[in-house]
């Protein structure tokens, strides 16, 4: 087809020269006729025209060959890329990569149900090692206490805990060596990681119990939670779920200088909706409150390594919300999930963003810092009540839905409890 369309033009080339305007002539040609002779008789020798046709044919064949070579190159590159992608999957954890980000990355209305954590195995083991170091530091503090208050029971507990930590360090080192030697089995790796995390939680609880012996006289609300690392296994869980709520006030003391963003102080998930109620500061975005996956940006400026008191109030009528920092209202708005009541029978987690009910944590969205006096009410607090909480007024209230007390919270993965007195932060 290419040759048939070009030949009349080649044959008429000489006739187009010398005229002010080129004309194209269409001539019917028999199937067995001489195309050039029919198109433009007397315009050149048949030999020259045949030579041109042969050159065109040669050019077309060369182009076909080039295209075939390029296709072969593309196939080779595609195969290499496929091998690279397969290798990267083998180097990750069992639930690893899936395209796109976990949690709220990229859009205000992204539903994160089913997203999985993407922490590489070596990085996770490194984080476990750091957690062990944190526990060892706490154990050293207990040793100092035991020297000052010598007790055979305390010394025996200390020795048992030290042996536990030594065993855990050997397990972590063994897993790292296996990774370096290429001995990687996703199923076994998942089981081993689960065992290590379970032992860490048990170890942490025993240390906490030992520490608690020093704090028996402490009021039940004078404690804080500390999340020293970004992990996908360190969190606290509130034992009680939320009821159906048509309004709420959520207040807490918070301290962080993590960058970028402090992560997720709390998340509440219900069946079918992981983002029922979430407070998150991810990446370079401002802190946000999510209700039924709808978003409002909060004007908090708190990522400075100092303690701050924050409150968020909301009512389902017109979706009206207010934000308070250190007792002063800093922002408000409306149309945040209007006429949508907070659903009951969910899971309330401190320190992690849930992508599935009670799990699906992503280390990049984990809270890193300290948190205390997390209280929830099923009504909007007045500005005076919020100010009283932030200034440690003697009339300050406790949450009528969730009250801050050690008995109401379970901790996992090495998150720690320390004594905290909010009023000291104001001096």
């Amino acid at each position: 087809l290419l040759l048939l369309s070009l030949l009349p033009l080649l044959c008429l080339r000489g006739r187009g020269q010398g005229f002010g305007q080129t004309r194209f002539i269409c001539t019917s040609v028999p199937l067995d006729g001489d195309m050039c002779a029919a198109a433009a008789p007397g315009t050149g020798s048949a030999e020259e025209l045949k030579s041109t046709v042969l050159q065109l044919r040669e050019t077309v064949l060369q182009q076909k060959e080039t295209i075939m070579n390029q296709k072969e190159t593309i196939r080779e590159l595609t195969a290499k890329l496929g091998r690279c992608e397969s290798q990267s999957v083998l180097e990750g954890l069992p639930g690893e990569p899936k395209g796109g980000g976990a949690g709220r990355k990229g859009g205000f209305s992204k539903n994160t149900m089913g997203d999985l954590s993407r922490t590489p195995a070596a990085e996770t083991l490194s984080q476990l090692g750091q957690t062990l170091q944190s526990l060892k530091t706490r154990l050293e503090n207990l040793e100092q206490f035991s020297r000052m208050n010598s007790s055979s029971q305390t010394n025996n507990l200390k020795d048992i805990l030290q042996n536990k930590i030594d065993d855990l360090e050997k397990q972590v080192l063994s897993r790292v060596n296996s990774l370096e030697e290429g001995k990687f089995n996703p199923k076994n790796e998942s089981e081993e990681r689960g065992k290590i995390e379970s032992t860490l939680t048990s170890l942490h609880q025993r240390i906490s119990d030992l520490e608690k012996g020093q704090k028996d006289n402490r009021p039940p609300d004078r404690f804080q939670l500390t999340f020293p690392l970004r992990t996908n296994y360190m969190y606290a869980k509130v034992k009680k779920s939320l009821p159906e709520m048509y309004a709420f006030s959520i207040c807490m003391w918070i301290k962080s200088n993590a960058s970028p963003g402090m992560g997720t102080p709390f998340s509440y998930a219900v069946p079918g909706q992981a983002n029922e109620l979430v407070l998150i500061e991810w990446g370079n975005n401002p802190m946000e409150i999510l209700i039924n996956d709808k978003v409002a940006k909060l004007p908090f400026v708190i990522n400075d390594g100092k303690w701050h008191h924050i409150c968020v109030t909301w009512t389902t009528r017109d979706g009206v919300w207010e934000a308070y920092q250190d007792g002063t209202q800093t922002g408000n708005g409306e149309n945040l999930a209007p006429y949508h009541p907070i659903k009951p029978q969910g899971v309330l987690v401190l320190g992690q963003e849930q992508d599935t009910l009670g799990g699906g944590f992503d280390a990049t969205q984990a809270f890193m810092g300290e948190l205390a006096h997390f209280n929830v009410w099923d009504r909007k607090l007045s500005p005076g009540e919020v100010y009283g909480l932030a200034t440690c007024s003697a009339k300050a209230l406790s949450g009528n839905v969730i009250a801050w007390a050690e008995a109401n919270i379970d901790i996992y993965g090495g998150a720690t409890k320390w004594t905290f007195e909010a009023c000291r932060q104001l001096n």
Side-chain angles (χ1 to χ4, degrees), residues 127-141 165 207 211 226 228-229 234 414-416 418:
Q127 291 169 347
L128 288 172
Q130 293 179 58
T131 304
L132 285 172
Q133 186 59 45
S134 173
L135 292 175
K136 289 180 73 175
T137 300
R138 294 171 65 191
L139 194 56
E140 289 170 2
N141 293 335
I165 288 179
I207 291 180
E211 290 171 334
T226 300
L229 306 169
M234 189 179 292
T416 57
W418 300 98

Side-chain angles (χ1 to χ4, degrees), residues 299-300 309-311 322-331 383 386-388 390-391:
F300 292 144
H309 187 267
I310 61 173
C311 279
E322 297 170 344
Y324 295 82
Q325 178 176 329
D326 299 325
T328 302
Q329 186 180 131
T330 57
V386 173
Y387 184 78
T391 55

Side-chain angles (χ1 to χ4, degrees), residues 13-136:
R13 183 180 177 186
R15 297 184 65 180
Q17 294 175 352
F19 292 87
Q21 184 176 1
T22 303
R23 293 181 301 158
F24 298 91
I25 302 172
C26 297
T27 306
S28 59
V29 180
L31 290 176
D32 56 349
D34 189 330
M35 192 174 296
C36 286
T43 58
S45 67
E47 291 299 326
E48 290 178 354
L49 294 176
K50 287 181 181 179
S51 174
T52 301
V53 170
L54 291 175
Q55 289 177 1
L56 287 171
R57 285 178 177 173
E58 183 66 24
T59 300
V60 170
L61 290 174
Q62 290 176 355
Q63 289 176 343
K64 283 184 177 180
E65 185 177 355
T66 300
I67 291 171
M68 293 300 294
N69 290 337
Q70 289 174 343
K71 285 184 177 179
E72 184 63 29
T73 301
I74 290 171
R75 279 195 294 270
E76 291 178 3
L77 291 174
T78 302
K80 290 180 180 179
L81 180 60
R83 288 195 296 272
C84 289
E85 289 175 343
S86 299
Q87 183 64 27
S88 68
V89 169
L90 288 176
E91 291 173 354
L93 283 173
E96 190 169 30
K98 171 180 150 165
R104 279 191 34 79
K105 298 179 184 174
F108 288 158
S109 61
K110 183 177 184 299
N111 192 326
T112 62
M113 293 291 288
D115 285 357
L116 300 177
S117 167
R118 301 180 307 285
T119 307
E123 181 181 344
T124 300
L125 290 171
S126 173
Q127 291 169 347
L128 288 172
Q130 293 179 58
T131 304
L132 285 172
Q133 186 59 45
S134 173
L135 292 175
K136 289 180 73 175

